[in-house]
Each structure stands twice: as structure tokens, then as C-alpha cells.
Amino acid sequence: MTVGTRPYVGDPVTRTGDAFGRAVTRAWRRGGVSGVAYEVIERDDGMLTVHDVAKYFAPEEGWNRVERLACERVQGRVLDVGCGPGRHAVHLMNQGVEVVGVEPSAGAAAVARERGVEVVEAGVENLDRIRYQFGTILLGGQNLGLLGSRERASAALSALAGAALPGGVLLGVGIDPGMLTSSEHTAYAAGNRAVGRLPGQQRFRIRDGSLATDWFDYLLASPTELAEIVEGGDWELVDVTTDGPRYLACLAHKG
Ligand SMILES: C[S@@+](CC[C@H](N)C(=O)[O-])C[C@H]1O[C@@H](n2cnc3c(N)ncnc32)[C@H](O)[C@@H]1O
């Protein structure tokens, strides 16, 4: 609806763009401190969650246990998938580890590059421009979610296997959706089951002001569901370390 030449105040967001990149850039310009920019995550049932973007600049001391463990376990050159503005990549580079980031948000990729990270602007579904093979594929910051859905996960896992050296590892941080017990989460999970999806498949978009990303699917899978997804593919699930609803999954490349 429009009133004169202006959209009516209640009109939904219509501007699509790099909302995540815009929020992290604003925080980075102010030194990555808290209280400057927020990532508003909108789920397609209307649930909103808000995080201070400063968390993407936090030093290792401020990370949870599984994020720290993931970085302790890397071997060889690391492909940091969905590296954002470079939280893990910068930490690993400071330890002398060679890291390449993959990041589809132009704004986040630009910030990571300013911080010294080599970044390929791409998504997990499009890793053709990755030039090397890696000892470790890192899916930090809950990025096991990038597997997307039960249907899309095997293609993503194959693409990631193509970027890994034989004997390489995939270290992925995930969230067990069975441990999210609020009424919003249980109702959403029931809706997913009713249409044949895994209960933890979430459809999100990120908002910053009136800007919003496209909708995307993010998969919260339990360790058991992850084992089923991985079965028969290029990876073997060898180890899971839990920390509340979060866990670190270690997958070994079968090649
Ligand atoms: C939760 S943030 C984690 C950022 C960083 N790994 C960290 O922990 O600080 C998720 C990141 O994945 C990126 N991303 C979103 N869709 C992606 C895709 N299809 N492939 C790769 N990365 C993606 C986002 O732009 C964002 O930087």
C-alpha cells in the first residue's frame, strides 16, 4: 500500500541485499566492539532473534568450547567455509596456519580480506574457484547448518569432499534441534515433520534495518541425523563432542 509517494509504514521489507555484510562492516568500522550493529535473524514463522555482531570479532577467550576445540584440531591447510568477517581464520593465521575463506556475503568477505584473509566469494554450493585441496574443512559458528536440508546435504558434502585432501577432516559445529525446547521451536519442528522435512530445517533471512537477505535454509541436525545424512557418502562421522545443544562433529574423508 502506498500513501502519496511513500510506502505505507506497515509494508513489509522489499529491499533485498547483503544485510549481514552491512551489519558486520558497520561493526568492523567501529573496531568490532559490542553495541554497534546487530544481526536480526528472521525465521519464516515470524520468529526473530537478535545477536550483537561483535560476536563475529570476539577473540578465542570469548568462544564456546566446541569452537575452540575445532581450531585446536585443524590439520594442514584450512578451508573456512562461511568464514564471515574472519573470526576463526584470523585466529588460525596468527597460529601460523594457512587458511582460505569461502564467503558469499561481499561485505563480510571484504572485512575478512581487510583482516588479511584470502577469501573466495562463493557459497558451499559453488566451490569451483577453490584452487587448492585442504587438510581441514572448517564449518565454524554453527555452519554445519550450511548443509541446508536433508535433500541438499549430500551435494554440499560432496562439494566439500572435492576440496579436501585424501585423509582430510571436516570439523563442523552444529546445534542439536532436539535440545531447543521453547514452544516456538517445538511447533516449528512439528510443522517440518508434517511436511516430511527434518525437524531442524530452518528457513531464515538476515535483516539489517530495512535491508534483508534472500531466504535460505539452514539445517540444525542432531548427531544421529548427521550420521544418517553422511552414510554412504565421501565422509565418515568419527567423533562428536557436545557442549549443551552445541556439538563439534569430526568427519574423516574416506578417499
Ligand atoms: C553464523 S555465520 C558464521 C561466520 C563465521 N564462521 C564465524 O563463526 O564467525 C554464517 C556465515 O555463513 C555465510 N553463508 C551463508 N550462506 C552460505 C553459503 N551458502 N555458503 C557458504 N557460506 C554461507 C554467511 O554469510 C555467514 O558469514
Side-chain angles (χ1 to χ4, degrees), residues 170-247:
L170 186 156
L171 297 168
V173 177
I175 299 271
D176 181 346
M179 295 188 73
L180 305 177
T181 52
S182 73
S183 55
E184 278 100 342
H185 282 304
T186 51
Y188 194 83
N192 273 338
R193 280 197 201 88
V195 294
R197 294 187 190 131
L198 282 172
Q201 184 180 326
Q202 316 278 307
R203 182 154 294 169
F204 290 140
R205 64 180 176 177
I206 310 296
R207 294 178 60 166
D208 178 51
S210 60
L211 195 62
T213 65
D214 285 324
W215 292 98
F216 57 94
D217 287 335
Y218 205 69
L219 182 62
L220 309 186
S222 69
T224 307
E225 289 163 343
L226 181 65
E228 285 163 12
I229 286 167
V230 164
E231 184 76 39
D234 306 296
W235 299 96
E236 183 186 357
L237 179 60
V238 288
D239 183 56
V240 173
T241 306
T242 56
D243 179 21
R246 268 190 212 90
Y247 64 91

Side-chain angles (χ1 to χ4, degrees), residues 20 39 55-56 67 80-85 87-88 102-105 108 122-125 140-141 143 146 216 218:
F20 180 72
E39 172 190 33
K55 76 174 184 171
Y56 294 115
E67 302 284 351
D80 183 357
V81 180
C83 68
R87 179 165 64 120
H88 300 102
V102 173
E103 175 53 52
S105 154
V124 67
E125 42 309 289
N143 269 349
L146 296 176
F216 57 94
Y218 205 69

